[in-house]
Amino acid sequence: MSNIISEIKRTILVVEDEVINQEILKEVLSTKYNVEIASNGIEAIQKLTKSITPISLIMLDINMPMMNGIDFLKKLNEKNIKRIPTIVITSEADTELECLKLGAIDFIKRPFELPEVMLARVARLIELFEDRLIINASERDELTHVYNKNVFKEYVKMIEEYNPNDRMDLNVLLVENLQVIHELYGQEKADEVISHIADELKNNVKVYDGIVGKLEDEYFVMFHKHVNDYNELVKRFEISLEKYGVSGINLKLGVYEIDDKTVDIDVRINRAKLSCNQVGKFSHNKYLAFNDISQNNALIYEQLAYDFHNSLMNREFIVYYQPKYNIENKPYICSAEALVRWIHPTLGMVSPKLFIPLFEERGFIRDLDHYVWEEAIKNLAQWKTNNINIVPISLNVSRIDLLDDSIVDILDSITKKYNVDNKYVYLEITESAYNSDINHLVEIITKLKEKGFKIEIDDFGAGYSSLNALTTVPFDVLKLDMLFVKEMYSNDKTLKVIELVSDIAKYLDVILVAEGVETIEQLNQLKKFGYSVIQGYYFSKPLSEKEFVYLLGGKKC
Ligand code: C2E
Ligand code: CA
Ligand code: CA
């Protein structure tokens, strides 16, 4: 304790009915402390609620008339004034456990110990408790007594470390319209309401072994075991608020179910908060899960579109590589597909499934693709310089890129800039591209092939124009759409189509690739049908450049 604080004379409340004991304790304690006496529990409660000087410690007898020690402890708990450390004076050991459970922190047995021992013990307990209060104050939000954001984050890390296998959720709750309470009833009532909500949250997350923290404004954050039914949880909050007599408050809950524990905690909080801010905009539900908004939320799209140019400038787009394996004999890496990832500053890694269609719609895709192509070709050049056995890299080409004749010169100038042979660059053109002006497309693809680039038809079988594309567009590789592999065993027809595509590839003498291969059964079946190249989680997920280089270094192609 600091000097100034330790100089203050503290007050001890002795709750004891026997006058002789009152006198002994008063005599010992008053050498160092102010002493207040209460003869039973009821008197003690009155003193505690009315006393202006703060009580630093309570010494409590168990056997008393009117309200005994046990009932007094219970009352303290109920009234939420249990923060005062309490020493129980006892001669019966069997009540000790009950007293401890009710919050007592130590015992003094009768007959009393030596005065110096008792004083030292009391001083130590007060000191410990006050230190704890100081720590608590810096750990906790002043008004609501839940953890502040930094401490909350530390606890999340700790809980995860100790329970690595538990499925957890991180949620953000917004208390809306608190301002209305403030206007109508004043600051004190608004503070009371927010504290009540904090208490309710603490009680509720306890059920799921969780913790609560306070963010800025009227946002709370929670971390607890996975909850299946959030409707039920939100309803429980609302009922408890109604019981409390508060109306007009609106609660919004943003849910982030943690599927990847490597995602930074700030990012998780942002994701949950983003969901929270969208609650009510698209449905009447009181909660929204991040995973759901990423599918169909117009507002997140707006944010992503708004962020695009800055993010491109800040190099937030990173190229990953998913290896493709030749499986004719012993599998080896024969090429890889470049797949873009967006490491968004607040949302973390955003999937291309979310932003590619958006960028196509908004006309940003050209800029992004040119950037990705250059990054990948630059990587190829670096690998070559570092004496790594390079493999061809497939670049995704959006149909919008193909509307522009300059694509041929753009690609050719990038490979020239980095001195990479064009034969190392494959271009994956998704089947839907063949819906547009087919003559123009054939013209551009022919030029690309003349320059030495290889052409892959991506997602073959997914659209309507497959057969048309096969007969008119010159290409080198046919890549079966993932859905066929996924549904390989759902019916006989799918299996037949997969085999038929293999026959077509043989007939046209093109390389045949299957992607989305996750299991050994799928792999064996495809091998049987003559598929020579396989891409999918069975062999590898898309990898960061560093991981991919490591893989390349270890194997020869
Ligand atoms: P895609 O070209 O069909 O790429 C394959 C997608 O399947 C990738 O998703 C990949 O991560 C995923 N995948 C790979 N193996 C498996 C597997 O075994 N099981 C399952 N379920 N999925 C697997 P990703 O990276 O999310 O990309 C999604 C789509 O975004 C791509 O589909 C592509 O159309 C587009 N895309 C990605 N990067 C670019 C880019 O740089 N430019 C353009 N224009 N589009 C891109
Ligand atoms: Ca592709
Ligand atoms: Ca594909």
Side-chain angles (χ1 to χ4, degrees), residues 279-524:
V279 168
K281 297 211 165 108
F282 297 93
S283 77
H284 293 301
N285 272 354
K286 285 291 171 71
Y287 79 91
L288 187 66
F290 178 77
N291 311 47
D292 296 339
I293 60 168
S294 32
Q295 306 295 329
N296 56 13
N297 188 298
L299 284 164
I300 189 174
Y301 283 147
E302 285 316 314
Q303 184 184 344
L304 294 180
Y306 180 83
D307 292 342
F308 171 71
H309 285 107
N310 266 338
S311 295
L312 194 63
M313 242 161 37
N314 297 337
R315 310 182 64 81
E316 287 164 17
F317 293 96
I318 308 288
V319 181
Y320 271 51
Y321 296 92
Q322 187 175 33
K324 303 182 190 183
Y325 283 75
N326 182 306
I327 55 155
E328 282 164 326
N329 294 300
K330 190 165 179 266
Y332 66 91
I333 301 173
C334 58
S335 68
E337 178 175 5
L339 292 159
V340 68
R341 302 284 177 262
W342 186 354
I343 315 295
H344 190 279
T346 59
L347 298 173
M349 196 191 270
V350 184
S351 159
K353 285 183 201 115
L354 189 64
F355 62 80
I356 295 285
L358 170 77
F359 291 175
E360 285 181 337
E361 186 190 302
R362 301 290 168 97
F364 304 155
I365 194 68
R366 275 186 74 225
D367 288 348
L368 179 69
D369 277 346
H370 294 179
Y371 177 85
V372 172
W373 300 341
E374 177 148 4
E375 288 296 297
I377 291 167
K378 192 165 53 181
N379 278 163
L380 267 173
Q382 284 161 346
W383 301 336
K384 214 172 66 180
T385 314
N386 294 336
N387 284 329
I388 290 159
N389 284 317
I390 57 171
V391 291
I393 297 297
S394 302
L395 304 174
N396 282 289
V397 176
S398 162
R399 67 201 147 78
I400 291 147
D401 300 324
L402 289 160
L403 298 177
D404 186 354
D405 286 5
S406 63
I407 182 178
V408 186
D409 290 336
I410 289 168
L411 275 163
D412 198 39
S413 64
I414 302 175
T415 49
K416 280 213 172 72
K417 181 173 165 188
Y418 293 98
N419 198 20
V420 168
D421 193 324
N422 288 355
K423 72 175 184 198
Y424 284 108
V425 177
Y426 284 43
L427 303 171
E428 290 195 10
I429 299 170
T430 184
E431 198 193 66
S432 60
Y434 311 111
N435 285 329
S436 41
D437 180 351
I438 194 95
N439 293 331
H440 183 240
L441 187 76
V442 171
E443 204 180 298
I444 290 185
I445 289 183
T446 309
K447 280 189 195 153
L448 285 167
K449 275 182 68 65
E450 279 165 10
K451 289 277 184 194
F453 298 108
K454 296 268 189 287
I455 305 296
E456 281 186 63
I457 295 185
D458 197 2
D459 306 329
F460 181 73
Y464 303 107
S465 49
S466 314
L467 293 173
N468 192 18
L470 286 183
T471 50
T472 44
V473 179
F475 67 97
D476 308 276
V477 183
L478 193 60
K479 198 171 182 184
L480 181 73
D481 188 61
M482 234 186 299
L483 209 62
F484 290 99
V485 176
K486 194 169 164 225
E487 300 191 342
M488 185 182 266
Y489 296 110
S490 61
N491 59 52
D492 288 351
K493 273 192 199 143
T494 312
L495 215 54
K496 289 232 169 70
V497 172
I498 295 174
E499 193 176 9
L500 185 70
V501 172
S502 165
D503 292 341
I504 294 173
K506 256 179 243 152
Y507 179 75
L508 295 174
D509 195 22
V510 291
I511 299 169
L512 185 57
V513 181
E515 63 177 329
V517 178
E518 297 183 356
T519 66
I520 184 82
E521 290 78 19
Q522 291 168 339
L523 178 98
N524 287 337

Side-chain angles (χ1 to χ4, degrees), residues 52-237:
I52 305 165
T53 39
I55 306 281
S56 296
L57 186 97
I58 299 170
M59 297 189 72
L60 175 71
D61 183 21
I62 290 295
N63 294 317
M64 292 180 297
M66 313 270 281
M67 182 192 282
N68 68 23
I70 301 278
D71 289 342
F72 169 77
L73 283 172
K74 284 184 185 156
K75 208 66 188 182
L76 280 192
N77 284 339
E78 264 170 45
K79 293 204 164 226
N80 250 346
I81 36 182
K82 63 176 168 189
R83 286 174 169 269
I84 303 169
T86 303
I87 300 180
V88 168
I89 307 163
T90 174
S91 42
E92 313 143 46
D94 55 355
T95 52
E96 286 187 3
L97 184 62
E98 191 172 6
C99 293
L100 280 175
K101 279 188 187 155
L102 289 168
I105 55 169
D106 203 359
F107 299 91
I108 290 185
K109 294 230 166 65
R110 265 184 300 249
F112 293 127
E113 52 206 352
L114 286 175
E116 308 85 272
V117 179
M118 186 190 293
L119 280 174
R121 184 197 294 262
V122 164
R124 180 82 190 119
L125 284 174
I126 292 178
E127 190 181 332
L128 274 177
F129 194 78
E130 288 182 355
D131 282 354
R132 181 70 206 143
L133 280 184
I134 292 165
I135 296 167
N136 258 342
S138 51
E139 271 191 348
R140 288 169 194 271
D141 175 58
E142 228 171 273
L143 176 63
T144 58
H145 303 300
V146 297
Y147 296 125
N148 68 40
K149 187 176 176 185
N150 285 335
V151 174
F152 174 84
K153 281 163 42 183
E154 286 306 315
Y155 278 120
V156 169
K157 272 190 220 150
M158 224 154 70
I159 294 172
E160 277 195 337
E161 242 165 61
Y162 286 108
N163 308 283
N165 300 322
D166 284 352
R167 194 169 162 207
M168 307 294 282
D169 297 346
L170 187 142
N171 305 326
V172 165
L173 181 95
L174 172 62
V175 182
E176 253 187 359
N177 296 350
L178 197 69
Q179 216 43 40
V180 177
I181 306 279
H182 190 239
E183 297 285 315
L184 288 176
Y185 308 105
Q187 179 76 44
E188 208 173 308
K189 181 72 181 170
D191 287 355
E192 208 182 280
V193 169
I194 196 109
S195 301
H196 173 74
I197 291 173
D199 288 343
E200 279 301 310
L201 287 179
K202 272 191 273 182
N203 290 338
N204 272 290
V205 303
K206 240 189 238 163
V207 181
Y208 303 100
D209 297 334
I211 53 170
V212 183
K214 182 77 179 51
L215 305 177
E216 58 292 326
D217 304 324
E218 273 78 49
Y219 290 98
F220 287 95
V221 61
M222 290 162 272
F223 177 72
H224 50 73
K225 289 209 174 116
H226 176 64
V227 172
N228 279 326
D229 186 359
Y230 273 103
N231 275 321
E232 199 245 342
L233 191 75
V234 175
K235 208 170 276 161
R236 229 184 309 147
F237 286 155

